[in-house]
Amino acid sequence: MATPNQRKTKGRKYSTRTIRVITVLVLVFSLILAAALLKVQVLNHQDMAKAASDQYYSNQVEPARRGSIYDRNGVKLASTSFVYRVGITPEHVYSRAGLVSEDQILQRMSEDLKVDRAELDQAMADKTVSYVQIAKNVPEEDGKKLEAFLKENYVGGVRMDKEPKRYYTNGDLASQVLGFASYQEGKLEGRLGVELAFDDLLSGTAGYSYAARDNYLSHGLLPYAQSQDKPALDGYEFYLTLDMNIQEILQRDLEDAIKAYDAVEDGMAIVMNPYNGEILAMASYPYFRSDDPTAKPLGIKQKDWDPGDEKTIQWLQEHAWRNKNISSLYEAGSTMKALTAAMAFEENICTEQTPYNDDPIQVLDAEISCWTGHGHGTEPMEQAFWNSCNPVFVQIALSVGVDRFYDYIRSFGFYEETGLGLPGEAACIFHTNPSILDMANLSFGESSGVTPLHLLKSYAALVNGGKLVTPTIVREMRSQDGQIIETSSPQISRRVISAETSSRVRKLMAGMVENSANYTNTWGYQIGGKTSTSVDEMTDQVTISFVAAAPIDHPEVIVLMILQKPSSSDAAGTEAQIVTQNTASKILDYLNVDRSYTDLDAYKLGKSIRTPDLAGQTLTQAASGMTYEQVQVVAGDDKTLAESIINYQIPAPGTLIYPGSNIFVYEKKPDSTQVVIPDLSQMNYNEVISACNSVGLIPQFEGSLTGNCVAQKMAYPDNLPEGSEGKPGDLAEFGSVIKVALQIPSSGQ
């Protein structure tokens, strides 16, 4: 048995090796600790200091409000509101002042955020998580109510992040012009049209506040903390030159024409003031919705439409989103003859009565003939313009000469940008070193490529007295408190032709319409214009178009409508003329331009017909067949397309209808619908026709057709809905006949 001294000696005994190992370990640990301290306190000092700062310093971003967009009349087309994304840190969701309980907080959040209470309870269950999102896209009004409640009761642990959201009220009107904006990387960014072109000015500049803050909703400053603040600068408000009423007229007429003539390669149309260059309307079919840009456009048959599919997006980019009025090239065809005529007058090459032979003409190795094939023989220059004879304008161009001819083309603005300022504008295409054959073809609009806007810009100079005006889409820019920042004014680039030449060209355009007045409906207005039919030599398909100036003596508007590759082999510029003149007439009515009916107008207005039975025909066949009857066949619903077989029509076959009326056709019999009877008091014939067409009533007239409405009544009151007396504001069945009495006002009225 060991003695106590022996036990004591044995307990204190360490080997030299053990001591050395312990010493080494202590030294290694000390070195590691020293290295770590060196790294943290010296080498990574700035990074670690920043990390520490970030735990209690925060940078609050205050997003700028994107400016709204309006039409010329103050109709709001696009606006911005804020939505909230709301999240919580469960451990910190309580009132610092003890003013409300957790149950009260959660109940209020459930009500304001429209979130089920059970979901909130579940989100609060785990107190260890640092953040749980409980709601997104919360409307600004609801978010502000909750924000006020939480702030008033000193509730913490709730994070509310504001995000801007763009709202559109234009539907599919002017969608390619307006464009759209989407939320990307913390802000709204313009994608097309005005939204993209003026993105910086619309966006404004975000603000911020950088300071040490707490974890409560208000992110209040910590005691004695100083903040660095920069207020947000909201974006500017844009007032466009567009008039949504004119835009609606243009789009609906273009869509009806597309369906009527089955224009498989789309269509374009523009309305412009020729004196100041303001674009009043601009349409490119098919349309899309700014508020839902990937939705399937109406009237488009696309099987298995998938907005997320790359092919779908590509189709949208090529057909629906692209503003083809500024980005597509087409052969202007015979509308170029007005420019060639202007050159002739300006250079004193001929007068309106100078005789020309329309026989085929040889230019280098090409023979150029009239569209008739055999020509019109010898005729005055103005008659050649009305007849649209190619050889005559080739002769005029040869007299002008290649260099001078292309100087005029350049002067009319075809070699430069239009100045509109929207993205995606294409450059016109002409031969680099043109020969006399190139010039000969261009004299009647072939072997070249121009955009619709370039052509309309040149026509503005033709009819406004000879000045080349820059097209504009923005009328005014304001701050969000209403201060005017900038106002557009007419930009005149140069004088292209004399005022006298402009007047002579207008008379040629007026004569062209007068000579086709047997099948066009400009009753009460003197409208001038020029037709065009250009042929794709690869496919033999045509593009038909018409430029109208209305009224021709001092045009309020110029209108261009283009229908690309209609399926009907007989389609020509005349069809485009009828549609465009009808559109121009509606626009003049809207602008309150007085009609002045002649005796000839009264005779033509009285040529009523009985509706034929259109069953079994396609929409395109029926529309083409009725073209020269001055009656429009239109699809009664979105399901009836160009190739649809007609099985039902309103009004029924045999119904008496008047020039300008609509026949609504359907693939399937529609459900019965009711419409509001309009007040037709003091409207003239055309205004009555337009008002009735817009709601689906069939007008029949009594009295003087050049007078104004003095009485109206429903033709078959027994068929009216229960409670309706047939008075303005009452209901009637769609397709009902309404009797309208017209009377010429006495001189004393």
Side-chain angles (χ1 to χ4, degrees):
M1 184 174 181
T3 64
N5 287 338
Q6 287 177 321
R7 287 196 298 268
K8 184 176 180 181
T9 302
K10 184 178 180 180
R12 291 180 176 178
K13 189 175 181 181
Y14 296 97
S15 68
T16 303
R17 183 178 180 180
T18 301
I19 294 172
R20 288 176 179 173
V21 169
I22 293 172
T23 302
V24 169
L25 290 174
V26 170
L27 289 173
V28 169
F29 176 76
S30 299
L31 289 172
I32 292 173
L33 181 61
L37 292 173
L38 177 66
K39 181 178 180 181
V40 170
Q41 296 185 350
V42 180
L43 300 179
N44 291 347
H45 171 73
Q46 290 185 341
D47 292 339
M48 301 305 292
K50 181 179 182 300
S53 174
D54 288 345
Q55 290 188 16
Y56 60 95
Y57 274 86
S58 66
N59 185 34
Q60 278 190 336
V61 176
E62 177 63 27
R65 186 180 293 272
R66 190 176 181 87
S68 297
I69 302 175
Y70 303 82
D71 84 339
R72 66 187 301 111
N73 300 314
V75 176
K76 186 176 288 187
L77 308 177
S79 60
T80 298
S81 183
F82 287 100
V83 294
Y84 287 85
R85 186 176 68 254
V86 184
I88 59 174
T89 302
E91 182 184 4
H92 297 151
V93 179
Y94 61 89
S95 170
R96 289 181 295 176
L99 300 176
V100 287
S101 67
E102 180 180 296
D103 180 71
Q104 290 173 309
I105 295 170
L106 296 181
Q107 186 59 35
R108 181 59 183 265
M109 292 174 69
S110 174
E111 294 170 1
D112 288 346
L113 301 179
K114 311 296 189 294
V115 175
D116 187 76
R117 174 60 189 270
E119 293 182 23
L120 294 179
D121 291 336
Q122 184 177 356
M124 286 288 293
D126 187 354
K127 304 293 186 182
T128 64
V129 297
S130 60
Y131 182 81
V132 181
Q133 181 173 295
I134 58 173
K136 62 180 181 178
N137 292 324
V138 177
E140 187 172 17
E141 182 179 354
D142 294 335
K144 283 185 174 180
K145 285 194 297 184
L146 178 61
E147 213 170 25
F149 168 81
L150 298 174
K151 188 173 183 179
E152 179 183 343
N153 292 285
Y154 299 96
V155 176
V158 181
R159 177 170 174 173
M160 301 187 68
D161 295 307
K162 282 201 301 186
E163 295 177 357
K165 185 176 177 62
R166 200 65 161 163
Y167 292 91
Y168 295 95
T169 61
N170 63 311
D172 65 1
L173 294 179
S175 48
Q176 291 96 350
V177 177
L178 187 61
F180 62 92
S182 59
Y183 189 71
Q184 297 287 336
E185 298 181 359
K187 69 171 187 174
L188 287 167
E189 293 182 353
R191 297 299 176 202
L192 295 171
V194 170
E195 291 276 29
L196 174 58
F198 304 101
D199 187 55
D200 289 345
L201 294 170
L202 285 163
S203 294
T205 305
Y208 64 83
S209 177
Y210 183 74
R213 299 179 181 275
D214 59 29
N215 188 38
Y216 286 81
L217 173 77
S218 61
H219 297 294
L221 294 176
L222 293 176
Y224 310 110
Q226 298 293 321
S227 66
Q228 297 179 12
D229 299 320
K230 180 182 178 182
L233 298 176
D234 291 336
Y236 292 122
E237 312 263 72
F238 275 69
Y239 287 75
L240 305 183
T241 59
L242 296 177
D243 185 314
M244 283 298 107
N245 295 300
I246 297 177
Q247 183 73 34
E248 185 170 11
I249 293 171
L250 186 70
Q251 285 198 200
R252 300 307 159 233
D253 284 359
L254 177 60
E255 182 176 1
D256 287 341
I258 291 286
K259 291 181 178 179
Y261 301 112
D262 192 18
V264 296
E265 288 294 325
D266 312 330
M268 299 88 82
I270 314 173
V271 181
M272 185 168 79
N273 181 315
Y275 293 96
N276 60 21
E278 291 186 344
I279 302 296
L280 302 177
M282 182 179 279
S284 179
Y285 188 88
Y287 316 131
F288 75 93
R289 295 182 62 91
S290 296
D291 60 354
D292 192 4
T294 60
K296 183 174 76 66
L298 291 175
I300 302 300
K301 279 191 174 180
Q302 291 277 334
K303 290 185 178 180
D304 303 320
W305 181 270
D306 181 4
D309 183 69
E310 185 176 341
K311 289 183 179 179
T312 299
I313 299 301
Q314 184 177 354
W315 185 91
L316 285 166
Q317 290 173 337
E318 292 177 358
H319 295 274
W321 292 352
R322 192 159 59 95
N323 186 347
K324 292 183 283 289
N325 287 293
I326 64 173
S327 65
S328 287
L329 301 179
Y330 81 111
E331 285 191 337
S334 293
T335 49
M336 288 294 289
K337 290 172 182 170
L339 280 73
T340 305
M343 299 179 201
F345 295 153
E346 198 72 8
E347 296 293 317
N348 293 317
I349 288 171
C350 67
T351 71
E352 292 84 347
Q353 301 306 316
T354 300
Y356 281 94
N357 189 285
D358 190 30
D359 292 341
I361 183 173
Q362 191 76 26
V363 180
L364 297 182
D365 59 349
E367 183 180 84
I368 299 173
S369 303
C370 179
W371 58 271
T372 63
H374 51 75
H376 294 86
T378 299
E379 59 189 345
M381 183 269 190
E382 65 178 5
Q383 190 71 44
F385 184 85
W386 302 336
N387 289 334
S388 204
C389 302
N390 295 345
V392 173
F393 289 87
V394 171
Q395 294 171 61
I396 291 174
L398 291 172
S399 298
V400 174
V402 173
D403 292 341
R404 190 72 180 126
F405 185 93
Y406 280 90
D407 283 344
Y408 274 106
I409 295 298
R410 190 178 299 277
S411 186
F412 273 111
F414 287 99
Y415 281 84
E416 59 196 43
E417 291 187 354
T418 62
L420 185 66
L422 292 182
E425 183 173 307
C428 299
I429 296 178
F430 301 102
H431 292 91
T432 305
N433 297 302
S435 66
I436 59 170
L437 179 58
D438 299 327
M439 176 191 66
N441 286 324
L442 184 55
S443 71
F444 56 92
E446 293 191 2
S447 298
S448 59
V450 302
T451 72
L453 186 58
H454 275 96
L455 183 78
L456 202 61
K457 178 179 178 179
S458 71
Y459 260 78
L462 287 177
V463 303
N464 70 9
K467 298 176 182 179
L468 191 70
V469 64
T470 301
T472 180
I473 197 67
V474 177
R475 198 177 197 205
E476 198 170 79
M477 187 171 67
R478 301 182 186 178
S479 63
Q480 294 199 15
D481 61 3
Q483 265 192 321
I484 296 176
I485 305 299
E486 187 176 318
T487 301
S488 67
S489 57
Q491 299 296 315
I492 307 299
S493 302
R494 52 187 169 270
R495 175 172 288 282
V496 183
I497 55 175
S498 66
E500 179 186 358
T501 294
S502 173
S503 176
R504 293 169 72 180
V505 172
R506 288 201 305 272
K507 290 178 181 177
L508 284 181
M509 294 169 64
M512 189 268 156
V513 173
E514 288 171 3
N515 278 268
S516 60
N518 288 329
Y519 50 81
T520 55
N521 51 352
T522 63
W523 316 296
Y525 289 134
Q526 189 178 22
I527 295 176
K530 185 69 188 79
T531 55
S532 171
T533 306
S534 57
V535 182
D536 186 327
E537 295 180 358
M538 300 294 292
T539 64
D540 286 334
Q541 291 180 299
V542 300
T543 292
I544 60 176
S545 64
F546 187 76
V547 182
I552 192 60
D553 56 342
H554 188 278
E556 295 276 343
V557 294
I558 49 177
V559 185
L560 170 62
M561 191 171 291
I562 302 166
L563 306 177
Q564 292 190 301
K565 300 182 180 179
S567 63
S568 172
S569 59
D570 297 327
T574 302
E575 281 75 12
Q577 176 184 355
I578 293 170
V579 175
T580 310
Q581 288 182 180
N582 187 38
T583 301
S585 295
K586 293 177 185 177
I587 294 170
L588 293 184
D589 278 334
Y590 166 72
L591 295 174
N592 293 317
V593 177
D594 290 336
R595 290 183 186 259
S596 179
Y597 294 105
T598 65
D599 291 340
L600 181 59
D601 288 332
Y603 168 74
K604 292 177 180 177
L605 292 175
K607 297 180 70 174
S608 58
I609 64 170
R610 297 284 176 178
T611 54
D613 188 350
L614 303 176
Q617 300 183 50
T618 65
L619 171 56
T620 297
Q621 290 169 338
S624 298
M626 297 297 291
T627 294
Y628 298 101
E629 297 293 343
Q630 302 186 45
V631 171
Q632 192 170 10
V633 178
V634 299
D637 56 27
D638 294 328
K639 297 178 182 179
T640 304
L641 306 178
E643 68 275 15
S644 298
I645 301 298
I646 298 170
N647 290 300
Y648 193 80
Q649 68 183 73
I650 296 175
T655 304
L656 184 70
I657 59 174
Y658 283 74
S661 297
N662 282 350
I663 301 177
F664 302 92
V665 296
Y666 304 83
E667 188 173 29
K668 295 181 180 180
K669 182 179 179 180
D671 295 331
S672 177
T673 56
Q674 297 177 352
V675 298
V676 177
I677 301 171
D679 185 353
L680 306 176
S681 301
Q682 295 305 310
M683 288 187 181
N684 61 36
Y685 176 97
N686 290 86
E687 290 170 333
V688 170
I689 288 284
S690 180
C692 290
N693 283 344
S694 67
V695 297
L697 297 181
I698 311 303
Q700 294 179 351
F701 295 92
E702 302 170 348
S704 174
L705 297 180
T706 59
N708 295 335
C709 174
V710 293
Q712 66 182 85
K713 63 179 180 179
M714 301 307 297
Y716 306 103
D718 292 343
N719 295 335
L720 291 173
E722 185 177 350
S724 175
E725 298 179 2
K727 297 178 180 178
D730 287 347
L731 295 178
E733 292 295 324
F734 185 94
S736 297
V737 175
I738 183 170
K739 295 285 188 179
V740 182
L742 300 179
Q743 179 179 307
I744 298 175
S746 64
S747 58
Q749 286 183 285

